[in-house]
Amino acid sequence: MTAPTSRIVGILKDMSTPSAPGRGRVFIVGAGPGDPDLLTVKALRLVRAADVIVFDRLVSQEILDLIPAGTAQVFAGKMARNHHMPQAEINALLATLALSGRTVVRLKGGDPYLFGRGGEEALHLAQQGIPFEVVPGVTSASGCSAAAGIPLTHRDLAHRVQLITGHAKEDEPLVLDWAKLAEPDATLVIYMGRTNIGRISAQLIGHGLPPDTPAAAVVNGTRADQQTIRTTLADLPTAVRDLDHAAPTLIIIGKVAALADQLAPSVPDSESAPAAQAP
Ligand code: SAH
């Protein structure tokens, strides 16, 4: 195992939570797209029982507010001067915390196994022989689809959904099978698609998807400040150009996107879960 960095040693030293050597474990937990009501019962139970929570940028403040006061918290998202904690260091941190006997909850936006590097973290733990479990969460495609009124499939409009990332690995070009993606009877959901949306839109049109194909960008989906932008494939790059770069944005392309005009949720937020009580 790689030696813990000085940052990890510091984190461990600062933790007052008692440890139970040999009993450590990691739960890689999906926190959903932001609305705390979309946490699973299991996620909430684990958050309440954890010794330490390692979370990243996409976990909403409302969800962080549910963490009990005495629980140690480690932010593994953007660090000082906008540097991310490198994935290898996050992996080592999770392993070190578990080996020190802590019950660790690794809280991730959406679902851990969809574009969230949950697979990389789980593999690292498996290779170290550290007990772990992955708890699914509502992925942003599901959360945004419901909150914006865009059914991802519909018998007359889309018989297939493709979930893709619009972001290439560091320093690598975006290589996608454009011919397969430019399919008029399918729905295309793009995670992390903002930066490359000009290229994506041009390639899809170049491969035969009509420029007037309905499209939507859902910004801060399921959160109080959610914004849904309805547009077309050709106009997507202009439509998202001025959006806040820090705000998570999901792009949905396909005939179903037009249904947002009719299906935007109509029950006021304050009444949508009148009897909701934290379990
Ligand atoms: N594991 C996560 C995805 C992580 S990748 C999941 O299952 O949802 C991060 C991308 O997810 C963001 O760039 C954005 O495209 C999307 N995303 C996450 N939360 C979102 C939200 N609340 N609203 C819109 N898009 C979101």
Side-chain angles (χ1 to χ4, degrees), residues 245-262:
H245 268 270
T249 303
L250 192 82
I251 292 166
I252 304 177
I253 299 168
K255 292 173 195 154
V256 290
L259 293 177
D261 304 343
Q262 297 165 69

Side-chain angles (χ1 to χ4, degrees), residues 30 32-35 57-58 108-118 137-144 164-165 167 190-194 217-223 226-227 247-251:
D35 177 353
R57 192 178 63 85
L58 278 178
K108 300 176 81 72
D111 180 86
Y113 273 177
L114 266 170
F115 305 122
R117 299 199 181 179
V138 174
T139 189
S140 41
S142 299
C144 294
I164 67 164
T165 168
H167 185 78
I190 309 173
Y191 290 68
M192 295 174 275
R194 274 280 295 291
V218 186
V219 187
N220 291 316
T222 81
R223 304 175 184 209
Q226 173 177 316
Q227 197 187 345
T249 303
L250 192 82
I251 292 166

Side-chain angles (χ1 to χ4, degrees), residues 178 182 200-209 233:
W178 300 109
I200 293 170
S201 163
Q203 287 282 2
L204 291 172
I205 293 169
H207 283 79
L209 201 57
L233 176 58

